[in-house]
Amino acid sequence: MYPTKTQMFIPRPARGATLLLIDSRREPMMIALSGSATIGGAYPASDRDIQLQSEIVSKRHGEFYYDNSADAYYYIDNNSLNGTFVNGVKLQPYNERGSRALRLNDGDVLRIDRSDLRHPHPQAVLMIFSRSFEPDEEWRVVNLSNRFKVTIGRDSSCAIRVSDPMASRVHAEIYLTEKGVMIYDNKSTNGVLVNSHRISGSAYLQLNDVIRVANTTIIFRGGYVLFNNPGEKSGCLSVNIHDQTFGKHTIIRDVRFEADTKDFILVLGGSGAGKTTLINAVLGVVKANGSVILDGQSLYDNFRSLKSQVGLVPQFVNLRKNDKVYATLMDTADIRLPHFTKQEKIERIDAILKKLGVSELKNRLIGRLSGGQQKKISVAVQLIGYQKVFILDEPDSGLDPASREQQMEILRSIADDGKIVMVVSHASEEGFNDDEQRYLFSKVLVLAKSVRDNCGELAFFGSTEDALQFFGVQSLKEIIIEINPPNEGGNGKADYYIDKFRGR
């Protein structure tokens, strides 16, 4: 049975974030954020939520602001004496209260320091904002004082071993030179970031620089480095599309949402609401006016290295009919896992086929598979490269009811394994689990075509329970009826819900 009682829509609570904090105590601390929080020095009778031990921190230095409507965190410097740097750029005063509110992305580096970051203050404060760190994340130390070179990568010989398939075997090296400490990108597949900026070849390191190799964060502390080793982990997808225009016509506008690891998102929208345009923008195929941030990196600015981490399973299967399943997957592995050995690729293929329940199809020709089987192989192709985001366009089209239900269960399990899965589907009720009496989807994104400007806009993003309450319906399929125009059998309330979601 579907829910039978409509309740008042209640805004969702703050979704957590984590600060990795290093102040004059010099030990890394994990501070959980669950909403807005103020920061300042650890002075007697201080009322700051986060109190920093450092003589260069003001009493009311800054604040983290949580915006519930966008599920986003912002930072404001309260015109403090020494200011705050975000990714190496100092925030400037805007009014008597402080700087402009700066939206934070996963991996952003905040520092309270001297004006010249090349000569850091002994009591400088380092904060890393993250929506992918765990509060109990383990951090390790590697001493640099007695080493000429420190290697970083997946190989067992590396001093900093990264158990992450997105890292190369010897991904990077930190070594001493006459001019200082340098990090070198060893022609890795996915690159090296220093303070959220991708380096080209090599770069000299300064005290408190933050290095990112795949999902591992490394903090340079002079004579030693701190690092975590989370392995394969998807973090946060942040989409902020101002508009997407073709010719003189704007297709979509004002689409902002964030998705986390394990989110299974249903994308709903009537005809012409801009679902395909949104998919292309998130994939980076057609860049929108705005940003798509994956794990703290801009997809648009780093498309070459990040495009392999966002995968699309199209509505219509596009596989070579005369190839065998195994050959198809190995070809994909050769392209997407160039730093893997042949045995590692075989193990990856076998694991994916087992996960999807189609191991027996390994040596079958693609052309001799059923439609449902071909759909699963299309999903397997995308899984090969350890993508963090999967977008599926009508994954259940052409399947019988039992196969559609099984397909949704598989996609839910892929999300549960630590991925972000977005499904564009008209058969939303296939995502309802009769045994558990709940939807498999964790989130619902609704695009509605405004009558005012004939443009697709965000009408809702949130949990399935909140979606039912927000639209006052008993099932997800009724949402389309609410927003579609009367000439398409709908109630014509697109603009009503667009305005309601924006809080107009």
Side-chain angles (χ1 to χ4, degrees):
M1 295 292 292
Y2 299 126
T4 57
K5 184 177 180 181
T6 301
Q7 302 174 9
M8 182 69 69
F9 172 69
I10 302 173
R12 58 189 179 276
R15 185 156 52 86
T18 304
L19 282 181
L20 176 106
L21 166 65
I22 302 177
D23 58 11
S24 63
R25 288 167 283 196
R26 302 189 183 281
E27 294 294 328
M29 294 173 286
M30 306 296 284
I31 307 294
L33 294 176
S34 57
S36 300
T38 55
I39 66 169
Y43 301 100
S46 172
D47 61 351
R48 302 291 87 185
D49 299 313
I50 300 173
Q51 299 180 25
L52 307 173
Q53 289 192 7
S54 170
E55 64 184 29
I56 65 172
V57 175
S58 301
K59 290 184 178 180
R60 298 178 178 272
H61 199 99
E63 59 189 277
F64 294 92
Y65 170 71
Y66 178 71
D67 179 4
N68 182 284
S69 64
D71 192 17
Y73 282 87
Y74 294 79
Y75 180 79
I76 300 170
D77 182 272
N78 296 148
N79 291 334
S80 62
L81 180 61
N82 290 298
T84 307
F85 293 82
V86 180
N87 297 330
V89 178
K90 191 172 185 178
L91 300 183
Q92 299 300 315
Y94 173 63
N95 55 27
E96 65 279 359
R97 179 186 174 189
S99 66
R100 290 181 182 272
L102 178 68
R103 182 166 179 161
L104 297 175
N105 294 308
D106 184 60
D108 279 348
V109 179
L110 293 83
R111 284 176 62 173
I112 299 171
D113 210 332
R114 288 176 172 146
S115 295
D116 187 354
L117 296 181
R118 295 172 298 178
H119 303 284
H121 193 281
Q123 295 203 16
V125 174
L126 172 69
M127 295 177 285
I128 303 175
F129 174 85
S130 175
R131 303 195 81 159
S132 59
F133 284 161
E134 300 294 340
D136 57 351
E137 196 104 12
E138 180 182 355
W139 291 82
R140 304 173 189 176
V141 176
V142 171
N143 198 319
L144 302 178
S145 59
N146 59 352
R147 296 172 181 263
F148 169 71
K149 181 172 67 174
V150 172
T151 51
I152 307 166
R154 290 172 45 244
D155 194 86
S156 59
S157 65
C158 290
I160 299 178
R161 191 176 181 188
V162 180
S163 57
D164 185 337
M166 299 310 297
S168 299
R169 286 189 168 276
V170 181
H171 195 106
E173 299 172 351
I174 297 175
Y175 57 92
L176 302 177
T177 72
E178 293 182 355
K179 295 183 179 180
V181 179
M182 177 173 281
I183 185 164
Y184 167 70
D185 182 353
N186 191 32
K187 298 180 180 179
S188 65
T189 302
N190 293 304
V192 175
L193 298 180
V194 176
N195 298 329
S196 297
H197 302 291
R198 182 165 182 164
I199 67 171
S200 176
S202 60
Y204 284 102
L205 295 175
Q206 306 294 333
L207 186 66
N208 290 327
D209 276 350
V210 178
I211 305 160
R212 188 79 173 265
V213 171
N215 287 300
T216 291
T217 300
I218 304 167
I219 304 171
F220 177 64
R221 297 287 291 165
Y224 65 96
V225 294
L226 291 164
F227 73 98
N228 66 344
N229 193 7
E232 182 193 358
K233 179 193 289 186
S234 293
C236 178
L237 173 70
S238 177
V239 177
N240 183 3
I241 297 175
H242 303 300
D243 59 65
Q244 178 65 288
T245 302
F246 291 95
K248 296 182 179 181
H249 181 50
T250 300
I251 308 299
I252 57 174
R253 74 164 83 250
D254 297 332
V255 180
R256 299 178 177 86
F257 66 93
E258 287 192 352
D260 264 339
T261 297
K262 298 186 178 183
D263 271 344
F264 186 30
I265 304 169
L266 172 66
V267 179
L268 291 175
S271 178
K275 300 187 294 298
T276 300
T277 301
L278 173 62
I279 289 173
N280 288 335
V282 174
L283 288 168
V285 175
V286 181
K287 295 180 181 179
N289 177 23
S291 63
V292 177
I293 306 296
L294 179 60
D295 283 348
Q297 300 181 59
S298 168
L299 176 65
Y300 293 169
D301 294 341
N302 303 281
F303 184 70
R304 183 176 178 181
S305 61
L306 291 182
K307 64 179 181 180
S308 64
Q309 297 186 38
V310 184
L312 171 68
V313 179
Q315 179 177 359
F316 301 105
V317 176
N318 185 23
L319 300 171
R320 294 191 298 268
K321 306 297 184 181
N322 293 326
D323 282 358
K324 289 185 177 181
V325 169
Y326 176 81
T328 297
L329 297 179
M330 182 56 75
D331 286 347
T332 303
D334 287 339
I335 295 171
R336 296 186 177 176
L337 303 174
H339 50 285
F340 272 41
T341 65
K342 182 69 174 289
Q343 184 58 37
E344 286 177 323
K345 293 172 185 175
I346 292 172
E347 292 172 358
R348 177 64 177 164
I349 291 169
D350 289 342
I352 289 172
L353 292 175
K354 183 178 179 180
K355 171 74 176 176
L356 299 178
V358 289
S359 296
E360 73 281 1
L361 303 180
K362 185 175 182 177
N363 295 312
R364 297 270 299 276
L365 287 173
I366 298 290
R368 295 187 178 181
L369 302 180
S370 68
Q373 290 170 333
Q374 290 188 30
K375 286 274 188 179
K376 290 180 180 179
I377 302 306
S378 292
V379 173
V381 167
Q382 294 303 322
L383 281 171
I384 284 289
Y386 292 92
Q387 283 87 344
K388 297 184 176 184
V389 181
F390 293 88
I391 303 176
L392 300 101
D393 189 6
E394 298 292 344
D396 40 21
S397 64
L399 303 183
D400 59 77
S403 296
R404 288 201 298 266
E405 184 176 346
Q406 183 188 47
Q407 181 87 315
M408 289 298 181
E409 293 280 359
I410 289 172
L411 296 177
R412 171 73 263 184
S413 70
I414 291 172
D416 288 340
D417 282 345
K419 308 299 181 185
I420 297 171
V421 179
M422 299 177 64
V423 172
V424 179
S425 176
H426 292 102
S428 56
E429 301 314 314
E430 299 299 340
F432 188 82
N433 187 301
D434 290 316
D435 294 334
E436 299 180 17
Q437 291 295 291
R438 67 178 181 88
Y439 282 100
L440 297 173
F441 305 110
S442 62
K443 301 282 177 61
V444 179
L445 186 152
V446 181
L447 289 174
K449 189 173 184 179
S450 171
V451 176
R452 291 184 291 246
D453 55 10
N454 203 34
C455 175
E457 300 183 42
L458 188 64
F460 182 81
F461 181 73
S463 70
T464 52
E465 294 82 4
D466 286 348
L468 297 174
Q469 295 170 2
F470 181 83
F471 288 96
V473 295
Q474 310 303 318
S475 63
L476 293 179
K477 64 182 179 181
E478 296 177 68
I479 293 175
I480 297 298
I481 298 174
E482 285 291 299
I483 62 176
N484 269 355
N487 63 354
E488 295 183 15
N491 294 331
K493 299 174 69 175
D495 287 307
Y496 168 78
Y497 287 111
I498 291 170
D499 292 347
K500 181 180 177 181
F501 186 66
R502 289 181 178 176
R504 291 177 179 171

